């Protein structure tokens, strides 16, 4: 369940900023139909930063309800306070979620020892499998390979979403962890190379609108058929990059609305809608994927 194309699901809202359950259902059915391996609910792409905790829990639980055991659900449970991370994680005990994705604490820039103690403390307060999430460009801190190796020894810390885009990290991590520890890319543009170097999949933004293609790329790559995987990825590479033409999830929400998966591309402040200029650039790439 923690291999292949895992979508970092957007959280659909109506024009008033309330959660749109009808669009959420449409998104989940789309991913089940197109063979996405699992769904991350309310990760950073799901706007965890602007949902309050009750809304956060509501969206995860609604996602579980709609999915109805047809696709594994991973809950985003990251926080920059360890106690908050524990509290949020414990709310999902016995809920049916398959795991938690926990981002490094943002803004307060802990030391490597602080990062170790943070994740260790959360893991020791739950039996839910934990996936670490390292994205320094968004959080201001970097979870280094030596710290990852220490955390990998904790039984329910099962893997990491590594979103630095630095492919040299893969071998550095693999040398320090057991073969059971899972490496998942958090960068669509380098995900195929990541898998070829020893990763087992990607937690993907692109999959929100190109689920079938991301699932196929990962399936082929995990079978060792990188030639065919690269043929498909070639058509997506510009899309991967254009989906970050403005901060995530601004572009992906507009794209999802454009292809009819959600009714509105509403985001909560301080995030604002995609600029007109960038809509034109992104529209070109969306049209291309229809022709694969």
């Amino acid at each position: 369940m923690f291999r292949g194309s895992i979508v970092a699901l957007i959280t659909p809202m109506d024009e008033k900023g309330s959660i749109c359950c009808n669009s959420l259902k449409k998104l989940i059915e789309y991913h089940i139909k197109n063979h996405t391996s699992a769904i991350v609910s309310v990760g950073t792409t799901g706007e965890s930063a602007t949902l309050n905790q009750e809304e956060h829990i509501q969206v995860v639980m609604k996602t579980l309800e709609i999915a109805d055991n047809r696709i594994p659900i991973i809950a985003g449970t990251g926080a920059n306070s360890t106690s908050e991370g524990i509290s949020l994680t414990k709310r999902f005990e016995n809920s049916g979620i398959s795991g938690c994705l926990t981002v490094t604490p943002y803004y307060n820039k802990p030391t490597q020892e602080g990062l170790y103690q943070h994740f260790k403390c959360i893991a020791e307060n739950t039996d839910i499998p934990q996936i670490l999430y390292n994205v320094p460009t968004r959080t201001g801190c970097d979870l280094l390979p030596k710290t990852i190796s220490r955390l990998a020894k904790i039984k329910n810390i099962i893997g990491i979403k590594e979103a630095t885009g630095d492919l040299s990290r893969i071998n550095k991590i693999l040398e320090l962890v057991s073969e059971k520890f899972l490496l998942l890319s958090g960068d669509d543009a380098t995900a195929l190379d990541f898998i070829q170097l020893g990763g087992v999949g990607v937690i993907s933004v692109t999959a929100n609108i190109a689920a079938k293609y991301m699932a196929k790329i990962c399936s082929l790559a995990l079978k060792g058929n990188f030639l065919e995987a690269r043929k498909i990825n070639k058509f997506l590479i510009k899309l991967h990059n254009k989906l970050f033409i403005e901060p995530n999830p601004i572009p992906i929400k507009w794209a999802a609305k454009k292809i009819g998966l959600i009714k509105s591309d509403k985001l909560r402040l301080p995030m604002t809608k995609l600029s007109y200029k960038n809509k034109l650039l992104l529209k070109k790439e969306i049209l291309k994927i229809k022709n694969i």
Side-chain angles (χ1 to χ4, degrees):
M1 70 179 73
F2 300 119
R3 297 168 64 87
S5 176
I6 300 169
V7 65
L9 196 70
I10 55 177
T11 298
M13 300 174 185
D14 61 27
E15 282 298 328
K16 294 181 179 179
S18 298
I19 309 304
C20 180
C21 292
N22 288 337
S23 289
L24 182 62
K25 184 177 190 307
K26 190 170 185 177
L27 285 170
I28 293 165
E29 297 299 336
Y30 166 76
H31 285 288
I32 292 169
K33 178 182 177 181
N34 288 287
H35 308 294
T36 296
S37 297
I39 290 171
V40 172
S41 178
V42 200
T44 48
T45 302
E47 296 177 77
S48 57
T50 54
L51 269 62
N52 65 43
Q53 190 170 105
E54 289 308 311
E55 288 175 317
H56 189 134
I57 293 161
Q58 174 196 344
V59 173
V60 174
M61 297 306 291
K62 189 66 179 178
T63 302
L64 276 166
E65 178 189 327
I66 295 167
D68 193 23
N69 295 313
R70 293 175 295 161
I71 186 170
I73 307 300
I74 301 165
T77 52
N80 62 346
S81 160
T82 306
S83 61
E84 184 180 348
I86 293 169
S87 173
L88 188 54
T89 301
K90 290 184 80 65
R91 292 289 292 269
F92 296 120
E93 294 281 358
N94 303 311
S95 67
I97 66 164
S98 299
C100 293
L101 179 69
T102 309
V103 71
T104 50
Y106 38 88
Y107 186 77
N108 44 16
K109 298 181 75 171
T111 64
Q112 292 302 301
E113 182 61 25
L115 289 169
Y116 172 74
Q117 294 293 342
H118 172 78
F119 287 115
K120 177 176 179 286
C121 197
I122 293 172
E124 288 178 343
N125 277 276
T126 185
D127 292 325
I128 301 171
Q130 301 289 303
I131 301 170
L132 311 172
Y133 178 15
N134 188 37
V135 57
T137 57
R138 296 295 289 251
T139 63
C141 66
D142 189 359
L143 187 63
L144 297 178
K146 286 186 179 179
T147 308
I148 295 167
S149 73
R150 293 177 69 196
L151 290 164
K153 294 179 174 67
I154 299 169
K155 67 175 184 178
N156 59 330
I157 295 180
I158 63 166
I160 184 168
K161 176 185 178 182
E162 172 56 52
T164 60
D166 178 3
L167 293 172
S168 70
R169 281 285 179 97
I170 302 169
N171 282 334
K172 292 174 184 176
I173 297 170
L174 288 173
E175 288 173 358
L176 297 171
V177 299
S178 77
E179 61 182 19
K180 292 182 180 180
F181 191 76
L182 305 175
L183 269 64
L184 293 158
S185 172
D187 179 59
D188 281 301
T190 58
L192 181 52
D193 295 316
F194 189 100
I195 295 172
Q196 191 162 12
L197 289 168
V200 298
V202 58
I203 297 180
S204 171
V205 172
T206 303
N208 277 283
I209 61 166
K212 176 172 67 175
Y213 305 119
M214 289 304 298
K216 189 65 174 175
I217 289 166
C218 289
S219 175
L220 288 166
L222 289 170
K223 292 173 183 174
N225 191 345
F226 292 101
L227 182 62
E228 292 301 315
R230 288 192 185 282
K231 287 179 182 178
I232 301 171
N233 197 55
K234 179 181 177 182
F235 288 94
L236 295 183
I237 197 67
K238 287 186 179 179
L239 178 64
H240 295 325
N241 292 319
K242 288 292 190 296
L243 286 172
F244 290 87
I245 200 167
E246 289 182 26
N248 183 47
I250 294 172
I252 192 61
K253 273 200 136 173
W254 180 83
K257 179 188 176 184
K258 187 68 180 174
I259 67 171
L261 283 172
I262 58 177
K263 293 180 180 178
S264 168
D265 56 340
K266 177 73 175 178
L267 302 107
R268 291 183 180 176
L269 289 171
M271 306 304 279
T272 54
K273 291 186 179 184
L274 191 65
S275 67
Y276 177 75
K277 176 185 73 174
N278 288 331
K279 285 178 183 177
L280 296 178
L281 293 173
L282 184 53
K283 182 180 178 181
K284 291 180 182 178
E285 301 310 318
I286 295 171
L287 291 173
K288 285 179 186 177
I289 66 171
K290 292 182 178 180
N291 298 321
I292 297 177

